[in-house]
Amino acid sequence: MELITRFLDKNGLIVGFLVLGIIMAVAEVLSSKLTRKKIPGSAIAILMGLLLAYLGGISTGGEKGIADWKPLAGFGMLGGAMFRDFAIVATAMGASFVVMKRAGWIGALSLFLGIVLSFLGGVLVALLWGYTDAISLTTIGAGACTYIVGPVTGAAIGASSDVMALSIAAGVVKSVFVTIGTPYMARYIGLNNPNTAMIYGGLMGTTSGVSAGLAATDPALVPYGALTATFYTGLGCLACPSVLYLLMRLCF
């Protein structure tokens, strides 16, 4: 047993990819057999990942979820900033710049609208939770943009770890909602071409949720929605700890 543990620990990253592949395969089977693909496999995979992280944290008393369990320590690197940024950039593969230009000012406007509306929604929820200071409100509001913008903003303005955890949770809930809801909303909002996919990505923002949702709707639309969603994340990381934080300080 010790030999196996040492082998898994030594090849942590490869084991992480292997387990991730198994989770995705199981999630796709569950999506197909239990929900007839009404709930995308990626959404089920996210929930399975969250459950594993919770169980890993509870069983080890650690702070890195399943990565605290030695045989799966490779998940620490797999879920780290390097692979996160690589995955975000990779979503732009296949996008056509000619088609992107067609989105025009409406596509750009969707980015700003998406960030402001999500931010205000997060601030409202934070107020209902009893937070009244500008730092907490800004961090949770940023988390409602995406679960990447939340901790980036919190670290920049000095939020507590509890508040940053809440901001991540807000972003994850939004991501799961967008993942599950996109295929159902697509027919009603005309989400069937690259232009609307880019506007939708700009409004929703969450790259993982938009990518998974569009993959369940029409895989050809994924690069376009994911591209503006990626811009959304970058713009959110700039706007939330600066302009929006200053506005919060003026109000609270």
Side-chain angles (χ1 to χ4, degrees):
M1 186 63 186
E2 186 181 346
L3 183 64
I4 295 175
T5 302
R6 272 193 300 173
F7 175 79
L8 295 177
D9 186 30
K10 191 175 180 181
N11 299 278
L13 185 58
I14 296 173
V15 174
F17 274 114
L18 176 63
V19 174
L20 186 63
I22 293 172
I23 291 173
M24 288 300 301
V26 172
E28 287 295 334
V29 171
L30 292 177
S31 172
S32 177
K33 301 295 183 183
L34 297 182
T35 72
R36 295 183 180 179
K37 291 193 175 295
K38 289 182 179 179
I39 297 178
S42 55
I44 297 175
I46 289 174
L47 293 176
M48 291 172 67
L50 290 173
L51 179 62
L52 277 178
Y54 175 76
L55 294 177
I58 289 294
S59 62
T60 62
E63 299 177 347
K64 298 179 182 177
I66 197 65
D68 284 323
W69 195 41
K70 209 168 182 180
L72 296 179
F75 268 92
M77 179 178 290
L78 190 60
M82 182 179 70
F83 278 98
R84 178 201 64 196
D85 295 343
F86 177 77
I88 290 173
V89 173
T91 55
M93 284 289 292
S96 167
F97 282 98
V98 175
V99 177
M100 286 163 53
K101 289 180 180 176
R102 295 177 191 164
W105 65 271
I106 295 179
L109 180 62
S110 69
L111 285 172
F112 291 97
L113 271 180
I115 289 172
V116 171
L117 292 178
S118 295
F119 182 83
L120 292 178
V123 169
L124 180 60
V125 171
L127 286 170
L128 293 176
W129 283 343
Y131 290 98
T132 55
D133 61 289
I135 292 178
S136 299
L137 292 173
T138 304
T139 303
I140 296 174
C145 294
T146 78
Y147 54 77
I148 294 175
V149 177
V152 168
T153 300
I157 62 178
S160 67
S161 58
D162 291 344
V163 170
M164 283 199 276
L166 284 174
S167 75
I168 294 171
V172 170
V173 169
K174 177 184 176 182
S175 176
V176 173
F177 175 78
V178 172
T179 299
I180 296 173
T182 299
Y184 295 101
M185 294 188 291
R187 71 181 69 175
Y188 302 108
I189 61 176
L191 188 56
N192 55 12
N193 60 76
N195 284 348
T196 54
M198 292 180 69
I199 294 171
Y200 184 74
L203 285 172
M204 295 295 108
T206 166
T207 307
S208 57
V210 168
S211 299
L214 289 178
T217 306
D218 181 355
L221 301 179
V222 172
Y224 301 100
L227 185 68
T228 46
T230 303
F231 283 137
Y232 176 108
T233 300
L235 187 60
C237 288
L238 291 173
C240 288
S242 56
V243 178
L244 294 177
Y245 173 55
L246 291 176
L247 289 175
M248 285 293 104
R249 288 195 62 176
L250 289 175
C251 298
F252 296 94

